[in-house]
Amino acid sequence: LSPIVELNVGGEMYTTTLSTLKKHPGSKLAEMFTGQPKLRTDSEGRWFIDRPGTYFKYILEYLRSNQVPTQCIQDVYKEALFYDIEPLIKQLEDSPQIFGELVARKQFLARVPNYNENIELMIRIARAEAVASRRSSVIVCVVRTEEDAARCQDALNNLDMDKKSVVKFGPWKAAPSISDLLDCIQMDVEAKGYKISFQPHVAEKGFRFKSHDFFYKFLFTWW
């Protein structure tokens, strides 16, 4: 390989040195340019990497000068993981954005039983009710403790008898509150491209307590 390397990364063109790309020998990026070429070339003979080219400039900046990016942190982190550049990964994980997501929020959600499965269930219910509608709603029950779960069981039974689908989150053993979890649900559904909002579910007959203590309505807007 030539010591000067021309790259086409997802349609963005870069020129750098072979030594820069191989700066961290154990990385996937270094492996791409070690030994026999493992990449295809484009019509101009540039090595082609099928990744978002916009963020590769931050990868190069780090390889050239050890400069940790301060922009597009989440996206650069994904690229650092793909190229397996361990020192950059560790430094990005110390940034407030990644630290807060991985150490705080993700660790909390890991203690909420079936959280990811429930997010997918909410989306399936909303999509099933979206036919010829501008909006569809999903009732969510959020209980932080076992005692709360027992208190709202009668209401859950009534909703089940009325053939209303309810997605139940909790209980969990962690400091964040019900409102914190509701924010997480909204964040993660919106991250999948949906437009949603939530409000307390209006009490109906058979509820033995204020419905907004545990029951919320998530509204999906389709157009």
Side-chain angles (χ1 to χ4, degrees), residues 10 15 22 26 30 54 58-59 72 79 91 114 151 189 201 222:
T15 302
K22 297 172 67 174
T54 305
Y58 300 110
I59 300 293
C72 309
E79 297 310 296
Q91 290 185 68
N114 304 313
R151 286 181 61 202
V189 175
H201 179 57
W222 300 104

Side-chain angles (χ1 to χ4, degrees), residues 6 8 13 40-48:
E6 292 190 348
N8 177 346
M13 311 308 164
R40 295 181 178 180
T41 57
D42 66 10
S43 59
E44 300 296 325
R46 293 172 291 229
W47 298 109
F48 179 73

Side-chain angles (χ1 to χ4, degrees), residues 110-167:
R111 302 184 184 189
V112 181
N114 304 313
Y115 177 81
N116 292 322
E117 293 84 350
N118 283 341
I119 293 292
E120 295 300 326
L121 178 57
M122 285 179 62
I123 293 171
R124 288 200 300 272
I125 293 172
R127 289 175 68 93
E129 296 181 359
V131 178
S133 300
R134 184 171 186 179
R135 297 179 181 85
S136 54
S137 61
V138 179
I139 299 174
V140 169
C141 173
V142 183
V143 290
R144 185 174 177 181
T145 67
E146 295 288 353
E147 292 77 10
D148 290 341
R151 286 181 61 202
C152 69
Q153 191 57 51
D154 286 346
L156 283 170
N157 292 338
N158 287 343
L159 289 169
D160 186 55
M161 289 175 62
D162 292 337
K163 300 188 183 301
K164 294 183 178 180
S165 299
V166 181
V167 181

